[in-house]
Amino acid sequence: MNILFLCTGNSCRSQMAEGWAKTLKADEFTAWSAGVETHGLNPLAVQVMAEAGVDISGHTSKLTTDLPADVDFDYVVTVCGHANENCPYFPARTKVVHVGFDDPPALAKTLTDEAEILDVYRRVRDEIKAFVQGLPGSLE
């Protein structure tokens, strides 16, 4: 089964979801991530995922058009409202599911304390992990 995690910039939330899916559900899914734009891989997302034992440092920020053309997605999970509203067209057999998660960079923008900033990223990381652990049931 192929699953795509889609967000606006493919820099944080979708990257975390792909990392968790590859770590926790590799025997059930082939996981991908992409964005409706590319913003580069967020270093704080890399850091908090590494703290949890998941290395996403080799991931790159990509568009859906950068994915292999021969991959048919069973599920597309939009992890932010903007991606849900601007989701590209997928064949009718692809089930698109929206599961919104807070945007760590937006929440951390007004914070100055590094520990508080990292706590925001960790909270969202853990929420995404819980969602991924519930797959495939959490897709219904």
Side-chain angles (χ1 to χ4, degrees):
M1 188 176 310
N2 292 315
I3 186 169
L4 171 65
F5 296 99
L6 185 71
C7 70
T8 300
N10 191 221
S11 66
C12 189
R13 291 167 285 182
S14 56
Q15 295 285 355
M16 289 181 181
E18 178 187 0
W20 281 124
K22 286 181 173 179
T23 299
L24 300 172
K25 297 289 185 166
D27 57 336
E28 297 178 56
F29 295 101
T30 302
W32 306 80
S33 70
V36 295
E37 305 166 6
T38 57
H39 295 170
L41 186 59
N42 184 301
L44 294 178
V46 173
Q47 180 179 337
V48 299
M49 289 297 286
E51 291 173 2
V54 179
D55 182 9
I56 63 169
S57 64
H59 289 198
T60 57
S61 182
K62 56 204 159 299
L63 301 169
T64 56
T65 55
D66 297 327
L67 300 172
D70 62 343
V71 175
D72 291 322
F73 293 104
D74 299 290
Y75 290 95
V76 173
V77 179
T78 58
V79 295
C80 73
H82 182 261
N84 186 45
E85 294 163 6
N86 296 281
C87 188
Y89 170 78
F90 290 94
R93 71 171 216 66
T94 301
K95 184 170 181 178
V96 179
V97 178
H98 176 64
V99 184
F101 294 98
D102 286 338
D103 181 12
L107 293 176
K109 186 171 31 177
T110 60
L111 301 175
T112 56
D113 181 70
E114 183 178 351
E116 289 179 355
I117 292 168
L118 289 173
D119 283 345
V120 168
Y121 279 80
R122 289 179 185 122
R123 177 181 58 78
V124 174
R125 172 202 66 198
D126 294 346
E127 290 171 358
I128 293 170
K129 177 183 181 183
F131 170 77
V132 170
Q133 284 175 318
L135 293 174
S138 54
L139 292 170
E140 302 307 322

